[in-house]
Amino acid sequence: MGLVGELLPFFVAAYLLDCLVRVRPGQALFTSLWGRHFRLEGPGWRWVGFLPASESVLVPSLGFRANETGVLLSPSGDGRRRLVAYEDIERVAVEDGHVCLGPGLELKATHPSAAMELAALVEQLRLTARPRRLALIRRALRRRCDLAALRRRRLEQAKDLRMLKVLSGAAFVAFFVVLPASVLPDLAWRPSLLQAGVLFLLAYLAVLSVSVRLLRRVGVRGWALGSRMLPLALFPPAAVHAPALVARETSFGFEPLAAAALLLDPQEFRRLEQRLRREQAAGDGPESGGESVVEAMTLDLVAREAARAGVPELEDPSPGDASAAAFCPECGGQYRTGFARCSDCDVPLEPFAS
Ligand SMILES: [Zn+2]
């Protein structure tokens, strides 16, 4: 087998590691094995994109919590959020992907690409008179919840994405079939190592070129472009899952919930929406100080957009069999009599309407 044969297990292991993605809080990852039927993945380490046809979409929330008086910083050591009044903000600057509001006052961005947008919004709010601030926040969110714009963005990418899948498929065949075949001595006909190498190189270069075009089209340029292309440049076999690796970076500027309305199964999206509404209502106590203003606005905006786009409302579930007595409003799981809470989601069950 020679050197290539010895290196192959190493490449396969490196490739699997390359499929690991860390989803940070405030980000949502939508994954799909074939480019349809997306699943929503929460924060944590996730495996994505084993196949050339796999697609993933990473959507960072603006991660913005504010009201008309100020911006809320993430909980500090004592677990409390701190409100920084707009009047107390000396200057707004982006440093290391975070938004700096003054000495020791840092607003964490959910993704470096969200930091500039966040900084611009805070600066604008600081200079706006108090009565007009909520309208300004709503306008910024409306842009990020615009389903029609998100759909347009995906349509614009569709051709390049299809091309990328074909090229990644070619790289997959070259790397996992032709290259190993070229070093198997027993095959009646086998390509030379050089032929196999050239085939992979051609597919790889084509993947690079289409990836750069996709990213540039959505406005990823300069340093940001370089950093996104780095995994592909350092580890050429990553070309095999470029659609999951590169294309996931092309949905910036939208809220995860808007992407959910477009990508998830409609009923799954409605269940998610319902859950977020419950969480938002629970966190919206009298002492919360309007913390969830942004969440409530986002929910309302996406709900309106989804209704306009014809996403069907949540259907009342019907019992799967005669023994089913209640269902979980979160996951839709069905339970017999005698159960009060869903064992997976830990929420109270709801009885079927008889
Ligand atoms: Zn459940």
Side-chain angles (χ1 to χ4, degrees):
M1 288 281 282
L3 187 65
V4 174
E6 278 165 32
L7 281 178
L8 207 60
F10 161 76
F11 271 124
V12 171
Y15 173 68
L16 289 178
L17 271 181
D18 205 43
C19 293
L20 263 182
V21 179
R22 183 166 175 206
V23 185
R24 292 168 194 281
Q27 302 182 344
L29 182 75
F30 299 88
T31 60
S32 151
L33 203 55
W34 302 105
R36 54 192 73 186
H37 306 300
F38 280 87
R39 275 167 45 115
L40 173 62
E41 310 271 4
W45 289 94
R46 306 281 169 223
W47 293 90
V48 294
F50 295 105
L51 298 176
S54 301
E55 211 183 311
S56 63
V57 180
L58 184 73
V59 193
S61 157
L62 194 53
F64 187 58
R65 280 175 160 251
N67 52 33
E68 60 258 81
T69 49
V71 183
L72 282 137
L73 300 189
S74 305
S76 48
D78 57 4
R80 293 170 68 103
R81 289 188 168 275
R82 180 170 168 197
L83 185 90
V84 183
Y86 295 114
E87 288 74 24
D88 296 340
I89 297 173
E90 293 170 21
R91 66 188 189 98
V92 183
V94 176
E95 282 165 22
D96 296 330
H98 295 304
V99 180
C100 207
L101 305 179
L105 301 178
E106 204 177 57
L107 198 56
K108 288 195 174 69
T110 54
H111 192 280
S113 70
M116 292 302 287
E117 192 183 348
L118 193 56
L121 180 57
V122 175
E123 177 68 4
Q124 221 178 341
L125 284 165
R126 193 169 74 97
L127 302 173
T128 299
R130 185 185 162 122
R132 292 213 305 273
R133 281 178 184 148
L134 280 186
L136 184 62
I137 295 175
R138 185 175 288 113
R139 203 157 60 228
L141 286 174
R142 198 183 297 140
R143 231 180 7 249
R144 297 182 58 87
C145 296
D146 186 344
L147 275 191
L150 181 56
R151 185 172 282 138
R152 265 199 309 280
R153 164 88 65 93
R154 282 187 62 79
L155 277 177
E156 283 161 19
Q157 295 166 359
K159 209 172 125 217
D160 279 342
L161 197 57
R162 258 198 313 273
M163 173 69 96
L164 197 59
K165 284 181 182 179
V166 169
L167 293 171
S168 288
F172 184 90
V173 172
F175 194 75
F176 287 109
V177 180
V178 182
L179 207 57
S182 74
V183 293
L184 282 179
D186 302 337
L187 287 186
W189 177 88
R190 59 190 172 94
S192 74
L193 188 57
L194 181 71
Q195 284 168 334
V198 167
L199 187 68
F200 177 73
L201 187 71
L202 287 178
Y204 171 67
L205 291 176
V207 163
L208 279 189
S209 134
V210 176
S211 299
V212 168
R213 194 168 70 202
L214 249 175
L215 288 174
R216 288 182 70 106
R217 268 209 189 143
V218 294
V220 181
R221 274 151 223 265
W223 174 84
L225 182 67
S227 76
R228 309 261 155 73
M229 293 303 294
L230 203 62
L232 270 180
L234 290 181
F235 186 61
V240 168
H241 65 158
L245 197 71
V246 178
R248 71 162 171 255
E249 308 281 340
T250 53
S251 295
F252 292 138
F254 294 94
E255 280 298 306
L257 193 61
L262 196 67
L263 296 175
L264 292 185
D265 163 73
Q267 293 296 296
E268 210 175 313
F269 160 70
R270 290 298 186 190
R271 276 198 292 273
L272 172 70
E273 185 198 349
Q274 221 174 49
R275 194 186 80 209
L276 292 175
R277 277 199 193 283
R278 270 197 301 271
E279 284 174 9
Q280 193 257 320
D284 201 16
E287 72 282 6
S288 71
E291 265 190 44
S292 61
V293 166
V294 174
E295 279 91 334
M297 277 184 186
T298 306
L299 273 162
D300 289 343
L301 285 168
V302 174
R304 213 178 55 201
E305 288 278 298
R308 196 184 292 162
V311 178
E313 289 294 328
L314 197 60
E315 289 160 15
D316 282 335
S318 51
D321 62 65
S323 67
F327 64 94
C328 167
E330 210 120 296
C331 69
Q334 304 199 350
Y335 287 82
R336 287 180 316 240
T337 40
F339 292 92
R341 300 182 79 83
C342 175
S343 53
D344 295 323
C345 316
D346 198 32
V347 293
L349 299 178
E350 284 175 26
F352 285 112
S354 53

